[in-house]
Each structure stands twice: as structure tokens, then as C-alpha cells.
Amino acid sequence: MVRNIGAVKWVEEMAALCKPDSVVWIDGSEDEKKRLTAQALSTGEVLELNQEKLPGCLYHRTAENDVARTEHLTFICTSKKEDAGPNNNWMAPQDAYSKVGALFDGCMKGRTMYVVLFIMGTAGSPFRKIGIELTDSIYVVLNMRIMTRMGKIAADDLGENEDFTRCMHSKGELDIERRYILHFPEDNTIWSYGSGYGGNVLLGKKCLSLRIASYLGRNEGWMAEHMLIVGIETPEGETHYIAAAFPSACGKTNLAMLIPPEGMPGYKVWTVGDDIAWIRIGPDGRLWAVNPEAGFFGVAPGTSYKTNPNAMETAKTNSIYTNVLLTPEKNVWWEGMDVEPPAEGIDWRGNPWTPDNGEKGAHPNARFTAPASQCPVISPEWENPAGVPLSAILFGGRRAKLAPLVYESFNWQHGTFVGATMASETTAAATGAVGVVRRDPMAMLPFCGYNMAKYFAHWLKMGKKLTNPPKIFNVNWFKRGDAGEFLWPGYGDNLRALDWIIRRCKGEIEATETAIGYVPTKGSINTNGLDISEAALEKLLEVDPTAWLEELEGMQTFFAQFGDDLPEEFVKEQQALKARLGK
Ligand code: OXD
Ligand code: MN
């Protein structure tokens, strides 16, 4: 299948290091899927779910110590430490290769090495990148089948080109003491050892499409962002595309496939992507975005027919469930699924479970891996190799008090500053401490493959090249009233804010200029059919200068770590914000 000399040589080299019993090149065919599934079922690596209720679906449990991305074990290995920046853990490339090379040495004895050629993006698209992942996990191969376009199609697309990302993975011993997720941006290489958790091992996702791609994007003049992409079709039949960055647990997948509220007839929502956007400048001076992934790797807990019916429908067939509760009927269940829990089941750890035994049935980071093509509202444009044109970029976080429901930045530079000062508050459920503000610029803090100060500069540079830039907004679905209650219903009603955004992009409505940007005037948010008080709406749109001055201090403290690398424009933006706040 593959005659690519560079690929063959690299696979031989890595096989010589890992010493697998055999090497299997994956072609991506249905027959091969059947064979691999049968093999994984025979070893217990995956279990078959109820084929009447969940046709084509499989179940997998990870090791207990391996349920999430391990940021403290994730490294950027550049020749110079300053190129990784204060936002990344750093290891010198030679040290990293020799330290983790020693772990890879012989790690696949008794195992098979699978060779997975995959495309991030669509075949032949100018946006796309090709990777080859070597792995000793069938679970990884089956997930890569869903999350990427892989096998023969990728081999054909690669041809004899030796420009591909070398992605090396082994489960190793699944020992957290021997776990490393290493990125070598200068070598276009990723090494992942000792984990079986998606974000650490589906190397096309966070590792390639964000960390390596952000580095490539800076060199090549494009952007790799942690953003969903959604198309909003208005009753007039125009579709506007929006890309939006939120930190985890802020509802990206939900927003990407929301159901319009009853009070907004005639609107349609089209999902292009739920996690990653690769963005380029088009010949028209606009930004064009593609979703490089082919599937969704969504968080199961909290996903229900109430919060996200489209995600539930997407994952009903041909999907892989990881670390959820297994019911006696071989069905799945998780907290926040909004259906009665089963009387008993097997929890994510593999232990017998009952609703009152005090344990969670599903791990809070339990996942479904589902083909995007199965999403009932997948956009007809989602595989367009040229991408979709962006009318707006959104940033958002979870802020109980500070940020209004929605506001518009003054221009690209200010919008970049708004994104760079993004922050989100932790919830009691997640950490035990309410209201701890974590700064997470553009939701990229764990994913920027180089010095983030240079990433900010790249954003500013991109803006200078745009003759027709999208407008940049900030949203906050999580503002609370004095009694701690959420002021905004969220979910489908978030379309009301998106609608305001679109009307601003079209220049149809006025807004109120404030110190932080343009805020909706009273009455300009469509509240048709929404039960919300005037007082709540007022509070949602309020800008409190004292609170923002405090916020400015937090921004300054955060930016201080970048020293002189921080773009001059951001120093000016801080001064301008202070002046607008009346200080
Ligand atoms: C994800 C994440 O899995 O952001 O998408 O962690
Ligand atoms: Mn993500």
C-alpha cells in the first residue's frame, strides 16, 4: 500500500527500537475494522455494547490512573527553552529522545505495532496535514478510524511526500511514573508513552492539530485554534459561520450543535466542528476555517437529550464509549444523562455499582467517540476543502460576576487582547473551591506548542493581513445573580446571543459603547418566548468598572510571566482599558 520511502524508513527505525512481534499497516477498510474489533473483543480491550440499542458501539475502560490529559507530563521539546515559553513544560530534544527512547526500547515485545496513516482535514485540501501514528493499541486504531480520515485515503494523499508528522505511541506499562507526552515541533514529531487516554494518545487531536499545528501555523502564516465552528442559518436563508473558543467544561460541543429555541422559528444551526479550527486567510481577505477532525471526542457526563440531543443522536451508532457506566443490558449510563440510573451496573473502575453506593458510575471525564458525519445537523460544508468563511470569532469563559452575556471588541487588536485575557472560574463540583479564576488565553494554554507571547504576536500579525476581518466577541453564559442563581438559561437560548452577534456583523443594530467594548442595548437581544425579567437582563448586560479594574490587575499579573516578549500592543491595550475605566 505504501511506497513512501521516508515513511517506510521511519517505521523500520521505530520498529527496530520498540521490537514488536509484528508490524501491521492499517488500510482503513471495513474488513480490517471487523478483524481488529474481533481481536480487541477477544482480549477484553473492548467490550461489545447492546447491538440493538447501540449498533456498532463498543465499550472501553482505561486504567484508573489514566483518565485525562496529563499536562504536567506534557512537554514541548525545542532546542531553546524560551521557544517553548513559560506556558509549557520544556525538555531539551536530545534529553527527551534519550530518556523516552529508553522506555520505547523493546516496549512492544509480544505486541503488534499498527501503522496508521491519517489526514487531519480532507484529502487534497490546502489546509490538511498528514500524520503517521505508530501504536500498540487497537483501541487507538479504532478511535483514529472515527476521529480522522485514515488508511488508504491518507496513503494516497501522502504519495511520496515525506512531509508528515511522525507520531509514536505506546501504552507502555500504563504507569504514571513512566508517562510522557513529548512534542518536537522542530522535527514535526510526537512521542507519547505510557498512556491510553484519548487526549494523550489520539495523536492527531491535541498533539498534532493544536500543539504541532500552532507551531507550523506560525511559520506558515495560518492559525490552529481550540475552537468549535458553527453555521447559523437565519430565517432569510443566509448562513453565517462563527468560530468559538472556550475552556473545557464550558459547553463547546453543546454550542456547536444547539437546537434553536421555540421563540426563534426559521433559524437553523449547522455543526462544522466542536473542538478544533484551522484558519487561513482567503483570497477575499476573510478568514476561512476548517475542522480538521472527522469525529467528536465528547465528554459524556452532563450530555443528555435535554442538553444536547444532537450529540446523543450522533453517538447512538458506530461509537466508542470510554469510562462510562455499563448496565446489565450492556447499555451505557452516566451522571447527567437525564434518565433514571439503572438499579445496578459496573462503574468506570470495573466495580459493581448501585445508585446509592456513593461512587460515580461514570468518570467525570468519560467520553464518547462518534463520527461527525452522523450528527443530525452536520453542515453540508463541513468537508469543504476550502473551509467556511468566518463572520465572527467568540471567546468565552465561566464568570459568575464579571463579564456581560455578550460584548463586541472594538477591533482586531482589541479582540486579540480580549481573547488573551480570557479566564474561567472553577466550579465547586470540579475543585471544591468556587470562583477560582484560571487564565486561559484563547483556551489554548494547554495546547499552544510554543511561547504564548509569540502566539499573541502571531494573532496580531494575522490581523494586519486581513482586509475583511471577522468581528471578535466575548460571551459568558454563566453570570449569576445575587442569590447565586444563573441569570441566563443557556443551551438553545444561547442562539439569542449568536443572533445579536450576527446582526452586529451585518451592521444592522446599534450597541452601547462601554469601557470593555460594545454591549447590547436594551431590547436588542431577541427574547421572544423567553421567560426572563428586565432586572436579570439588565444585570446580564451590566459592566462594573470597579470589578473590571480588579480584573485588569489579574491580567497584568498573568502577562508579567512573558516579560519583554509580550507584544507592545498588549501594553497599550492595558493602558487604554485603564483609561476607559476612568483611572
Ligand atoms: C478535549 C479537551 O478533550 O479540551 O477536547 O480536553
Ligand atoms: Mn478541547
Side-chain angles (χ1 to χ4, degrees):
M1 176 177 90
V2 175
R3 288 196 312 272
N4 186 304
I5 294 166
V8 170
K9 248 179 74 189
W10 177 65
V11 172
E12 280 171 4
E13 200 185 301
M14 296 319 292
L17 176 64
C18 300
K19 306 177 182 61
D21 285 6
S22 56
V23 177
V24 172
W25 291 70
I26 293 296
D27 63 23
S29 65
E30 277 302 314
D31 266 4
E32 176 187 76
K33 178 185 169 190
K34 279 193 199 130
R35 272 198 317 274
L36 289 175
T37 304
Q39 198 177 331
L41 286 170
S42 75
T43 59
E45 189 174 351
V46 296
L47 303 177
E48 191 168 65
L49 286 167
N50 186 317
Q51 293 301 294
E52 256 168 47
K53 297 208 157 81
L54 297 164
C57 291
L58 297 171
Y59 179 88
H60 175 77
R61 236 178 248 128
T62 64
E64 260 189 63
N65 71 8
D66 191 25
V67 291
R69 286 183 289 102
T70 39
E71 284 171 23
H72 64 295
L73 303 173
T74 299
F75 292 81
I76 299 296
C77 309
T78 41
S79 324
K80 287 197 217 134
K81 186 168 194 258
E82 59 268 31
D83 289 345
N87 46 299
N88 282 304
N89 301 312
W90 175 82
M91 228 191 272
Q94 277 327 311
D95 293 350
Y97 281 131
S98 74
K99 184 171 186 163
V100 180
L103 301 181
F104 275 121
D105 192 352
C107 71
M108 292 190 190
K109 279 185 191 151
R111 301 181 186 175
T112 300
M113 176 189 269
Y114 298 98
V115 182
V116 183
L117 279 84
F118 63 95
I119 311 172
M120 299 313 298
T122 52
S125 159
F127 283 83
R128 59 92 164 79
K129 295 285 175 195
I130 295 174
I132 304 181
E133 177 158 354
L134 310 184
T135 179
D136 51 9
S137 159
I138 296 182
Y139 170 75
V140 167
V141 179
L142 294 175
N143 273 272
M144 288 294 281
R145 269 188 72 91
I146 299 174
M147 296 304 296
T148 71
R149 296 158 181 97
M150 54 91 100
K152 184 173 182 319
I153 187 173
D156 290 347
D157 200 22
L158 182 62
E160 300 195 356
N161 187 349
E162 296 191 9
D163 182 16
F164 58 87
T165 306
R166 290 155 171 77
C167 306
M168 181 63 222
H169 167 249
S170 171
K171 298 182 279 197
E173 311 80 22
L174 297 175
D175 176 354
I176 194 154
E177 301 298 326
R178 289 157 65 86
R179 180 173 301 156
Y180 292 95
I181 320 298
L182 308 176
H183 305 73
F184 303 88
E186 292 156 359
D187 302 341
N188 200 2
T189 293
I190 301 160
W191 277 17
S192 166
Y193 186 88
S195 174
Y197 169 72
N200 289 336
V201 302
L202 307 179
L203 299 183
K205 191 172 177 65
K206 302 299 184 182
C207 299
L208 193 164
S209 290
L210 289 176
R211 298 196 190 97
I212 293 288
S214 60
Y215 178 93
L216 295 175
R218 178 177 172 229
N219 292 342
E220 296 169 6
W222 55 281
M223 303 158 91
E225 299 299 332
H226 191 200
M227 290 180 178
L228 66 92
I229 310 168
V230 66
I232 309 293
E233 187 178 328
T234 63
E236 296 81 46
E238 284 170 19
T239 303
H240 295 266
Y241 294 95
I242 294 175
F246 299 87
S248 60
C250 291
K252 252 171 53 242
T253 304
N254 294 348
L255 188 67
M257 48 190 85
L258 67 77
I259 307 269
E262 274 178 19
M264 295 182 72
Y267 283 84
K268 286 191 191 134
V269 169
W270 299 107
T271 309
V272 179
D274 80 326
D275 195 40
I276 297 174
W278 284 358
I279 305 174
R280 284 175 187 263
I281 303 174
D284 55 0
R286 303 181 78 183
L287 282 181
W288 289 71
V290 298
N291 164 19
E293 302 190 278
F296 306 130
F297 183 61
V299 177
T303 304
S304 71
Y305 273 97
K306 244 192 215 160
T307 59
N308 194 340
N310 285 321
M312 296 295 284
E313 284 295 309
T314 307
K316 250 176 27 185
T317 54
N318 309 315
S319 296
I320 301 174
Y321 288 90
T322 303
N323 292 342
V324 299
L325 182 95
L326 185 65
T327 76
E329 299 77 43
K330 301 265 183 296
N331 204 338
V332 293
W333 182 87
W334 51 78
E335 283 75 13
M337 195 192 216
D338 207 33
V339 294
E340 278 293 299
E344 57 176 341
I346 307 288
D347 71 14
W348 67 273
R349 290 189 166 92
N351 296 328
W353 179 91
T354 53
D356 55 4
N357 79 344
E359 298 289 334
K360 289 221 184 295
H363 185 274
N365 193 33
R367 298 280 176 150
F368 55 84
T369 317
S373 59
Q374 294 182 179
C375 177
V377 294
I378 197 73
S379 164
E381 297 297 318
W382 86 286
E383 294 192 288
N384 188 332
V388 293
L390 296 180
S391 300
I393 288 177
L394 267 55
F395 296 115
R398 185 183 280 273
R399 301 305 299 261
K401 292 285 169 211
L402 188 77
L405 175 68
V406 53
Y407 66 95
E408 177 189 332
S409 63
F410 295 116
N411 50 46
W412 180 272
Q413 177 176 307
H414 178 236
T416 301
F417 175 74
V418 167
T421 53
M422 237 172 93
S424 203
E425 282 149 14
T426 53
T427 62
T431 67
V434 180
V436 178
V437 176
R438 292 232 175 99
R439 302 229 156 250
D440 186 358
M442 284 82 167
M444 279 290 279
L445 195 61
F447 306 119
C448 181
Y450 62 102
N451 188 328
M452 207 148 202
K454 308 279 174 182
Y455 164 86
F456 299 147
H458 180 51
W459 263 78
L460 294 166
K461 192 167 157 198
M462 289 290 289
K464 293 203 175 87
K465 292 194 214 159
L466 288 169
T467 50
N468 203 349
K471 283 182 183 283
I472 301 181
F473 298 80
N474 193 84
V475 297
N476 176 23
W477 318 132
F478 302 95
K479 204 167 184 186
R480 291 178 190 251
D482 295 335
E485 77 287 7
F486 284 113
L487 292 167
W488 184 248
Y491 301 109
D493 286 302
N494 291 338
L495 183 60
R496 299 174 192 277
L498 303 187
D499 174 55
W500 183 82
I501 285 167
I502 290 167
R503 285 186 292 137
R504 281 295 292 170
C505 291
K506 290 173 71 182
E508 284 180 1
I509 47 170
E510 294 298 310
T512 308
E513 185 170 344
T514 73
I516 60 165
Y518 299 108
V519 173
T521 53
K522 242 175 127 184
S524 64
I525 300 263
N526 180 344
T527 53
N528 186 30
L530 180 67
D531 184 16
I532 190 165
S533 69
E534 278 288 305
L537 251 185
E538 242 164 62
K539 190 114 191 124
L540 272 167
L541 300 176
E542 181 185 270
V543 177
D544 172 2
T546 314
W548 278 95
L549 274 172
E550 230 175 84
E551 179 73 1
L552 181 58
E553 274 174 33
M555 296 174 188
Q556 283 162 338
T557 309
F558 179 77
F559 281 150
Q561 66 182 307
F562 298 107
D564 291 345
D565 285 333
L566 192 74
E568 180 60 28
E569 289 91 333
F570 277 15
V571 177
K572 292 204 177 113
E573 286 296 336
Q574 290 174 74
Q575 288 162 351
L577 175 58
K578 198 166 173 185
R580 290 194 303 267
L581 288 166
K583 288 283 160 179

